[in-house]
Amino acid sequence: MEINEKLLVKLTEANAIAGNEGQVRKLFKEEAQPYAEEFLEDGLGGIFARHTGDKEGPRILMAAHMDEVGFMVNRITDKGFLHFITIGGWWSQVVLAHQVTVTTSDGKEYIGVTGSKPPHVLTPEVRNKPIDIKDVFIDVGASSKEEVEEMGIRPGDMVTPYIKTRRMNDTPFWLGKAWDNRIGCAVAIDVLQHAHENKHPNILFSGANVQEEIGLRGAKVSPNLVRPDIAIALDTGTAGDTPGMTAQEADSELGKGPQVIVYDASMVGHKGLRDFVIEVAEKHDIPFQYTFIPGGGTDAGSFHTLQTGIPSIAITVPVRYLHSETSVIHEDDYKNTVRLVNAILDELDADALQRIRDNA
């Protein structure tokens, strides 16, 4: 499988926080257009492309999410500095001294940098503590509140990390922001292309939700639009292959395949669906990793409680340095995630659906 490097760069370098996913939604629609019979959009902004293999077949929802962790301007000082709130989960240690993009409501983009008091003026006691995120601000090179307002920056504007996506030193590792969860968006496009080019026994709805990073909110509405029999969240998970990590904290490794989430803080993966996914992976010799993430969740955590209960699971790409401006994936994990979801689409027919339900 050849990866579409230009698409990965476009997806990750687009800016989209919860409640402001327009850039990614537009890009998804453009890229999925050749493979979609129609697009469905829910009232919060989630978008899903339909492709019918068998109009009597199971309705399968495969969904990434468009939003990334970021920030929102909430106050402008008299001297022209921006204060902000976090949108999604951030650890204060990774926020300081980084370039960011401030996007105004009319689409203008300005580069800024996060700052705080320098260590030279701090007492030893304060210097040795993690900085409180409320003490971090953004400098956009302005000298007054009026100057910032003339730039068109207002409270509520989106702020995202600024970094160029690139392959690391001619290796299979890729560095960029927002792999969580633009890599899932790429998989959602890839499975649509596979559906378009191959016969399959299902009605596929592949796309992406909004507002996952602030409580799986978009996933609470999209199944009401799609009415799926099966739901699969296409997301990212924690890698545990860096110094200091223990197998108890996270045991997945980059390059060893997609993660099949057995348990996380939002859901116990549906046993019948999990068994089916593993059976498909083993049949096609697709490497995968069993994963437990007790400190996180995916949109499947909302999917499985809707309607009368939807058999749901999350299939995720392991990522180093999640929820930071510099995250890393391995392209083989991306490729094998695409292989796995394509194989699931090919083999999940009405009989398989009944076995999944019987094996709850």
Side-chain angles (χ1 to χ4, degrees):
M1 171 187 167
E2 293 294 323
I3 67 171
N4 187 338
E5 296 186 5
K6 290 183 179 180
L7 175 60
L8 294 185
V9 171
K10 286 193 290 185
L11 282 169
T12 51
E13 292 187 358
N15 298 313
I17 62 170
N20 199 335
E21 292 95 347
Q23 289 186 30
V24 177
R25 183 166 48 251
K26 180 176 182 290
L27 181 55
F28 176 86
K29 196 166 188 176
E30 290 172 353
E31 295 293 332
Q33 186 73 54
Y35 319 122
E37 296 166 350
E38 68 169 337
F39 288 96
L40 290 77
E41 297 188 42
D42 63 48
L44 294 184
I47 183 169
F48 306 90
R50 179 174 63 85
H51 188 279
T52 303
D54 181 349
K55 65 180 180 180
E56 303 299 326
R59 299 170 70 89
I60 301 177
L61 172 62
M62 294 188 180
H65 65 85
M66 290 177 272
D67 56 317
E68 64 190 286
V69 293
F71 314 98
M72 181 184 288
V73 177
N74 73 334
R75 187 165 62 88
I76 304 168
T77 73
D78 290 341
K79 295 293 187 181
F81 296 97
L82 312 181
H83 287 280
F84 59 86
I85 60 172
T86 57
I87 303 297
W90 280 96
W91 186 39
S92 65
Q93 300 292 84
V94 301
V95 173
L96 190 59
H98 289 287
Q99 294 182 79
V100 295
T101 303
V102 181
T103 304
T104 67
S105 59
D106 60 358
K108 293 178 182 176
E109 294 185 346
Y110 296 97
I111 295 298
V113 62
T114 56
S116 69
K117 290 181 180 179
H120 311 72
V121 303
L122 302 178
T123 65
E125 180 183 9
V126 173
R127 190 184 307 169
N128 291 326
K129 291 181 179 179
I131 190 165
D132 194 318
I133 206 161
K134 70 178 177 58
D135 295 324
V136 183
F137 51 82
I138 296 169
D139 185 343
V140 291
S143 300
S144 67
K145 182 176 183 178
E146 291 74 21
E147 190 174 340
V148 171
E149 290 175 344
E150 287 173 5
M151 296 164 74
I153 297 173
R154 299 289 188 274
D157 283 346
M158 170 171 65
V159 181
T160 47
Y162 174 82
I163 181 175
K164 292 296 183 182
T165 303
R166 57 195 182 275
R167 184 186 294 275
M168 295 180 70
N169 307 314
D170 298 319
T171 71
F173 295 90
W174 281 79
L175 171 69
K177 75 170 181 69
W179 288 123
D180 181 11
N181 181 31
R182 306 298 159 64
I183 196 63
C185 293
V187 174
I189 294 168
D190 287 323
V191 72
L192 280 166
Q193 181 176 356
H194 176 81
H196 177 73
E197 296 173 351
N198 300 272
K199 292 187 67 175
H200 65 90
N202 303 287
I203 305 170
L204 171 66
F205 298 88
S206 187
N209 291 299
V210 297
Q211 299 189 34
E212 190 269 356
E213 296 292 359
I214 56 171
L216 319 181
R217 296 180 186 181
K220 292 177 171 63
V221 300
S222 56
N224 299 321
L225 176 72
V226 171
R227 297 177 291 108
D229 298 305
I230 293 288
I232 298 173
L234 306 172
D235 209 325
T236 58
T238 306
D241 57 355
T242 53
M245 292 288 284
T246 67
Q248 178 121 8
E249 293 167 329
D251 59 0
S252 295
E253 297 182 32
L254 265 63
K256 296 295 182 65
Q259 300 163 308
V260 177
I261 307 299
V262 181
Y263 170 87
D264 65 31
S266 69
M267 184 188 69
V268 177
H270 187 277
K271 179 182 180 298
L273 182 53
R274 182 181 77 233
D275 290 347
F276 174 78
V277 168
I278 292 167
E279 174 187 309
V280 169
E282 291 177 340
K283 175 181 177 180
H284 293 273
D285 294 320
I286 301 169
F288 70 93
Q289 305 178 76
Y290 293 100
T291 302
F292 295 74
I293 306 179
T298 72
D299 277 338
S302 286
F303 292 155
H304 80 290
T305 63
L306 297 174
Q307 299 175 175
T308 58
I310 303 169
S312 304
I313 201 163
I315 298 174
T316 61
V317 175
V319 179
R320 292 176 183 164
Y321 325 122
L322 274 169
H323 286 205
S324 77
E325 69 288 333
T326 49
S327 53
V328 175
I329 67 164
H330 192 294
E331 69 177 39
D332 287 350
D333 296 328
Y334 166 47
K335 291 177 180 179
N336 283 315
T337 302
V338 173
R339 288 180 62 206
L340 180 55
V341 296
N342 287 348
I344 291 168
L345 179 68
D346 293 342
E347 303 210 13
L348 207 169
D349 57 15
D351 290 340
L353 174 61
Q354 189 59 54
R355 291 198 306 274
I356 289 168
R357 288 171 169 168
D358 291 343
N359 196 23

Short mmCIF file of all heavy atoms in Angstrom, two decimals, residues 41 68 89-90 116 132 144 166 191 208 222 230 236 238 265 297 327 344 348-349:
data_model
loop_
_atom_site.label_atom_id
_atom_site.label_comp_id
_atom_site.label_asym_id
_atom_site.label_seq_id
_atom_site.Cartn_x
_atom_site.Cartn_y
_atom_site.Cartn_z
N GLU A 41 -24.73 15.00 7.05
CA GLU A 41 -24.13 15.86 8.07
C GLU A 41 -25.11 16.04 9.21
O GLU A 41 -26.30 16.34 9.00
CB GLU A 41 -23.75 17.22 7.48
CG GLU A 41 -22.69 17.13 6.38
CD GLU A 41 -22.18 18.49 5.93
OE1 GLU A 41 -21.95 19.35 6.81
OE2 GLU A 41 -22.01 18.68 4.72
N GLU A 68 -8.89 18.45 17.10
CA GLU A 68 -7.61 18.24 17.77
C GLU A 68 -7.64 19.00 19.09
O GLU A 68 -8.48 19.89 19.29
CB GLU A 68 -6.46 18.77 16.91
CG GLU A 68 -6.50 20.27 16.68
CD GLU A 68 -5.51 20.76 15.65
OE1 GLU A 68 -4.32 20.81 15.97
OE2 GLU A 68 -5.94 21.10 14.52
N GLY A 89 -7.69 17.90 26.47
CA GLY A 89 -6.78 17.63 27.57
C GLY A 89 -5.34 18.00 27.27
O GLY A 89 -4.72 17.47 26.36
N TRP A 90 -4.80 18.94 28.04
CA TRP A 90 -3.41 19.37 27.89
C TRP A 90 -2.67 19.19 29.21
O TRP A 90 -3.22 19.44 30.29
CB TRP A 90 -3.34 20.85 27.50
CG TRP A 90 -3.58 21.13 26.06
CD1 TRP A 90 -4.77 21.49 25.50
CD2 TRP A 90 -2.63 21.08 25.00
NE1 TRP A 90 -4.62 21.67 24.15
CE2 TRP A 90 -3.31 21.42 23.81
CE3 TRP A 90 -1.27 20.77 24.94
CZ2 TRP A 90 -2.67 21.47 22.59
CZ3 TRP A 90 -0.64 20.81 23.71
CH2 TRP A 90 -1.33 21.16 22.55
N SER A 116 5.55 32.90 29.31
CA SER A 116 5.26 33.06 30.73
C SER A 116 6.41 33.86 31.34
O SER A 116 7.32 34.30 30.64
CB SER A 116 5.12 31.70 31.42
OG SER A 116 6.39 31.06 31.48
N ASP A 132 1.57 26.60 36.07
CA ASP A 132 0.12 26.55 35.98
C ASP A 132 -0.29 27.10 34.62
O ASP A 132 0.16 28.18 34.21
CB ASP A 132 -0.51 27.38 37.10
CG ASP A 132 -1.99 27.10 37.27
OD1 ASP A 132 -2.69 26.98 36.24
OD2 ASP A 132 -2.45 27.00 38.42
N SER A 144 -0.86 46.50 21.87
CA SER A 144 -2.04 47.00 22.57
C SER A 144 -3.25 46.14 22.24
O SER A 144 -3.26 45.41 21.24
CB SER A 144 -2.33 48.45 22.19
OG SER A 144 -2.74 48.51 20.83
N ARG A 166 6.16 16.11 8.78
CA ARG A 166 7.22 15.58 7.93
C ARG A 166 7.63 14.18 8.38
O ARG A 166 7.47 13.81 9.54
CB ARG A 166 8.43 16.50 7.94
CG ARG A 166 9.02 16.79 9.30
CD ARG A 166 9.97 17.97 9.23
NE ARG A 166 10.61 18.28 10.49
CZ ARG A 166 10.06 19.05 11.43
NH1 ARG A 166 8.86 19.55 11.26
NH2 ARG A 166 10.73 19.30 12.54
N VAL A 191 -10.93 3.77 3.50
CA VAL A 191 -11.92 2.68 3.45
C VAL A 191 -13.03 3.01 2.46
O VAL A 191 -13.58 2.12 1.81
CB VAL A 191 -12.47 2.37 4.87
CG1 VAL A 191 -13.40 3.44 5.37
CG2 VAL A 191 -13.17 1.01 4.87
N ALA A 208 -16.43 11.37 10.02
CA ALA A 208 -15.80 11.88 11.25
C ALA A 208 -16.78 12.71 12.06
O ALA A 208 -17.58 13.48 11.51
CB ALA A 208 -14.56 12.71 10.91
N SER A 222 -24.40 11.52 16.01
CA SER A 222 -24.26 10.96 14.66
C SER A 222 -24.95 9.62 14.46
O SER A 222 -25.50 9.37 13.37
CB SER A 222 -22.78 10.87 14.27
OG SER A 222 -22.04 10.10 15.19
N ILE A 230 -23.54 -1.64 13.47
CA ILE A 230 -22.20 -1.80 14.04
C ILE A 230 -21.51 -0.44 13.99
O ILE A 230 -21.65 0.28 13.00
CB ILE A 230 -21.36 -2.82 13.23
CG1 ILE A 230 -21.93 -4.23 13.37
CG2 ILE A 230 -19.88 -2.79 13.66
CD1 ILE A 230 -21.72 -4.87 14.71
N THR A 236 -6.82 7.13 17.84
CA THR A 236 -5.42 6.91 18.21
C THR A 236 -5.35 6.44 19.65
O THR A 236 -6.27 6.68 20.44
CB THR A 236 -4.59 8.20 18.05
OG1 THR A 236 -5.17 9.23 18.88
CG2 THR A 236 -4.57 8.66 16.61
N THR A 238 -2.40 5.36 23.08
CA THR A 238 -1.11 5.63 23.70
C THR A 238 -0.08 4.57 23.35
O THR A 238 -0.35 3.38 23.47
CB THR A 238 -1.27 5.69 25.23
OG1 THR A 238 -2.30 6.62 25.55
CG2 THR A 238 0.03 6.12 25.88
N ALA A 265 -11.68 3.93 29.53
CA ALA A 265 -12.50 4.58 30.55
C ALA A 265 -13.92 4.86 30.07
O ALA A 265 -14.79 5.16 30.89
CB ALA A 265 -11.84 5.89 30.98
N GLY A 297 -10.61 7.56 26.42
CA GLY A 297 -11.78 7.00 25.76
C GLY A 297 -11.85 7.44 24.32
O GLY A 297 -11.09 8.30 23.88
N SER A 327 3.64 15.05 17.90
CA SER A 327 3.33 13.63 18.09
C SER A 327 3.91 12.82 16.93
O SER A 327 4.18 13.35 15.85
CB SER A 327 1.82 13.43 18.21
OG SER A 327 1.13 14.01 17.12
N ILE A 344 -12.49 -5.93 7.44
CA ILE A 344 -13.74 -5.97 8.21
C ILE A 344 -14.92 -5.65 7.31
O ILE A 344 -15.96 -6.33 7.33
CB ILE A 344 -13.66 -5.00 9.39
CG1 ILE A 344 -12.65 -5.50 10.43
CG2 ILE A 344 -15.03 -4.81 10.03
CD1 ILE A 344 -12.30 -4.48 11.49
N LEU A 348 -17.89 -8.44 6.92
CA LEU A 348 -18.98 -8.24 7.87
C LEU A 348 -20.31 -8.23 7.12
O LEU A 348 -20.85 -7.18 6.77
CB LEU A 348 -18.78 -6.94 8.66
CG LEU A 348 -19.42 -6.91 10.06
CD1 LEU A 348 -18.93 -5.71 10.84
CD2 LEU A 348 -20.93 -6.94 10.03
N ASP A 349 -20.86 -9.42 6.91
CA ASP A 349 -22.15 -9.53 6.24
C ASP A 349 -23.24 -9.81 7.26
O ASP A 349 -23.01 -9.75 8.48
CB ASP A 349 -22.11 -10.61 5.16
CG ASP A 349 -21.70 -11.97 5.71
OD1 ASP A 349 -21.73 -12.16 6.96
OD2 ASP A 349 -21.37 -12.85 4.90
#
